[in-house]
Amino acid sequence: MSARAMKKHFLLLMDTMHRWYTISFFIAGVLLIAGSQIVGTTDNLPGIAMLIGGMVSLFYAVLHPWRTSSNYAILAGVLFGLILMTFLVIYILSSLHLNEYIREGIVMGFIGLICLPGIITGIAGAVFWATSKK
């Protein structure tokens, strides 16, 4: 995506038509993430669900101007590919006995806090815009 297209997208987030949605999704995401930290995420399913829900809300705060299901499907596909590539890199490092280069916290954070919520957002957006009347 070119710099001009990125600038246009970010300006679109704050125009009069999208401003309320952007701010609402952002505040909901921040509140869910803060709530998950208060409740706790260690072996606590409601806390983990709140954290993932907050991340999905933050994703959607940035992506809600997209109006085609193909954009969301591409997002889900790219993030799923990143998960597969992460597992491939871990497999290669493990087979070469370079386990000291594998950081479980970073991998789990990347997959659990970026890829998984992005895939959920991509699938939900693709289904929503594919089934909505045009």
Side-chain angles (χ1 to χ4, degrees), residues 4 35 43 45 47 64 81 93 108 114 127 129 134:
R4 182 177 293 159
D43 295 332
L45 192 58
H64 71 86
L93 288 174
M108 291 303 294
I114 296 172
V127 168
W129 287 108
K134 296 178 181 178

Side-chain angles (χ1 to χ4, degrees), residues 7-84:
K7 181 179 177 182
K8 182 180 174 186
H9 176 77
F10 286 120
L11 289 175
L12 184 65
L13 289 174
M14 285 300 157
D15 73 356
T16 56
M17 188 171 132
H18 296 285
R19 184 179 306 135
W20 176 249
Y21 290 116
T22 303
I23 293 171
S24 297
F25 285 124
F26 182 77
I27 290 173
V30 169
L31 288 176
L32 282 169
I33 292 170
S36 74
Q37 297 306 303
I38 292 170
V39 171
T41 56
T42 305
D43 295 332
N44 187 1
L45 192 58
I48 294 170
M50 287 173 63
L51 180 62
I52 291 176
M55 290 302 295
V56 167
S57 184
L58 288 180
F59 263 98
Y60 204 65
V62 176
L63 303 177
H64 71 86
W66 288 357
R67 298 287 184 230
T68 60
S69 62
S70 63
N71 288 343
Y72 288 102
I74 290 170
L75 173 72
V78 166
L79 290 174
F80 185 72
L82 284 174
I83 290 175
L84 293 178

